[in-house]
Amino acid sequence: MPKIIIEDLKIYAYHGVLPEETKTGTYYLINLEMNVDIWNATESDDLNDTVNYAEINEIIHTEMKIPSKLLEKVCGRIIHKIHEKFPQIESLKIKLTKTSPPMMGEMKGVSVEFEKKF
């Protein structure tokens, strides 16, 4: 099955349980992998035969602007909106990483990852 992949989309947003997280914000990385039958596009060269990843990018940016306490909630909204717009997507995997979580220790970030089959 062909895939469309968005890698390390970096967005500044305001998610978190702690009040300072929703005031100061931080960078997030989004990785998205979609399984979708786009074989026709290899012959047609027509955007209608594939999934417009610019529109996927717009959906992600729109949902990331809505502050949430949990990354899980953000991922759920993104998955729902993408599937609503592109029902031809057969499965979707998303990984959302908070790059600077307010915790002790040095780390690259904390992530949640979901995979949904439709």
Side-chain angles (χ1 to χ4, degrees):
M1 175 63 65
K3 294 179 182 184
I4 295 175
I5 301 169
I6 296 176
E7 296 181 84
D8 292 336
L9 175 59
K10 189 175 185 181
I11 299 175
Y12 201 88
Y14 302 86
H15 307 297
V17 174
L18 302 175
E20 61 265 23
E21 293 179 286
T22 58
K23 289 180 185 170
T24 60
T26 192
Y27 282 104
Y28 293 81
L29 294 175
I30 297 99
N31 287 275
L32 190 69
E33 186 175 299
M34 298 163 282
N35 290 307
V36 59
D37 185 358
I38 51 176
W39 280 107
N40 287 344
T42 65
E43 296 293 326
S44 71
D45 199 25
D46 186 339
L47 186 58
N48 292 314
D49 288 331
T50 188
V51 170
N52 185 338
Y53 49 79
E55 290 183 30
I56 299 289
N57 183 50
E58 187 176 318
I59 290 169
I60 294 169
H61 274 83
T62 298
E63 295 305 316
M64 288 295 290
K65 287 180 185 175
I66 303 168
S68 294
K69 292 178 184 174
L70 302 178
L71 299 181
E72 292 86 342
K73 178 68 173 175
V74 180
C75 287
R77 284 197 319 264
I78 292 170
I79 291 167
H80 175 74
K81 292 291 184 179
I82 289 173
H83 186 250
E84 189 176 87
K85 177 77 177 175
F86 298 102
Q88 70 270 38
I89 294 172
E90 295 184 17
S91 68
L92 187 148
K93 183 162 108 176
I94 185 170
K95 179 180 174 186
L96 177 57
T97 303
K98 182 183 283 193
T99 61
S100 298
M103 300 186 310
M104 294 186 305
E106 189 174 324
M107 64 185 83
K108 289 183 180 181
V110 172
S111 304
V112 294
E113 183 176 87
F114 290 90
E115 188 166 355
K116 177 85 173 168
K117 295 181 184 189
F118 303 104

